[in-house]
Amino acid sequence: MPGHSSLTVRRLGATDILVLYHLVQQAFPEMERRRWMDVGRRMSVQRKRPRQGILVAQYGTRGLPCAMATYRRDFDIRFGQVLTSDHCIVMTPGDAQQVIDAFHPVMTQLAQELGCHAMRTMQPIAKMTTLPQKVCPAEHIVERTLLLTEINGFSPPA
């Protein structure tokens, strides 16, 4: 991207939590700051072999975070241990492909460190456009899209 240095990806640190609230609130407007701070603190705890956490992307080494992706180690009946990424939130939608491409090798390495045999990434459904949207690494085939259906008006707690 012109004018930007390359993206760096790292695990969430304690100093990122408050800065990322604006990004989280864009994706989940109902999330209260206190709730996000609790989630952020829990996800930023540095463990030797983390089972869950958040990765943060930023331009260069001194820029503010521009994207984040959650991850957790799960069990899959076909693959055994898998690394699942539920939420990838990007500040500027035009940067989505570059951000996904930056997260992918870090997620792959993390999956290997955690003994996972596969990665599962769930992307938000974009509004329909005339151009097909691609937000996965170039060498991948989109296998499926997962949807959440609210039952009887159920909404996640804020």
Side-chain angles (χ1 to χ4, degrees):
M1 169 157 259
H4 286 295
S5 54
S6 63
L7 280 168
T8 57
V9 176
R10 59 185 167 68
R11 290 186 182 154
L12 177 75
T15 59
D16 298 318
I17 299 168
L18 187 56
V19 174
L20 283 172
Y21 179 62
H22 178 68
L23 187 63
V24 169
Q25 200 170 35
Q26 283 186 351
F28 308 111
E30 74 284 354
M31 183 167 288
E32 295 174 356
R33 182 176 171 200
R34 185 182 76 236
R35 170 84 171 117
W36 164 247
M37 296 299 286
D38 290 345
V39 169
R41 277 191 284 274
R42 186 176 55 235
M43 297 294 234
S44 69
V45 173
Q46 298 296 320
R47 294 181 175 91
K48 188 174 182 179
R49 291 184 58 142
R51 295 185 58 83
Q52 65 180 7
I54 296 176
L55 294 177
V56 177
Q58 66 188 47
Y59 286 102
T61 55
R62 294 183 150 181
L64 290 174
C66 63
M68 61 176 269
T70 62
Y71 66 87
R72 71 177 182 278
R73 186 175 164 204
D74 285 331
F75 175 77
D76 180 88
I77 195 167
R78 293 185 304 161
F79 301 109
Q81 295 300 317
V82 296
L83 188 69
T84 300
S85 178
D86 294 305
H87 305 289
C88 182
I89 306 169
V90 180
M91 179 68 77
T92 309
D95 292 344
Q97 187 64 54
Q98 185 178 6
V99 168
I100 295 298
D101 289 344
F103 277 135
H104 181 70
V106 177
M107 287 274 195
T108 301
Q109 181 180 357
L110 186 58
Q112 291 169 343
E113 289 172 11
L114 295 175
C116 297
H117 302 285
M119 291 189 309
R120 181 178 295 128
T121 305
M122 290 163 245
Q123 299 295 324
I125 296 180
K127 293 179 182 173
M128 296 300 290
T129 64
T130 56
L131 299 174
Q133 293 198 350
K134 181 179 184 294
V135 268
C136 62
E139 68 274 7
H140 283 67
I141 297 169
V142 176
E143 183 181 40
R144 67 185 112 145
T145 301
L146 301 177
L147 300 172
L148 170 67
T149 302
E150 294 183 2
I151 307 298
N152 298 327
F154 171 79
S155 293

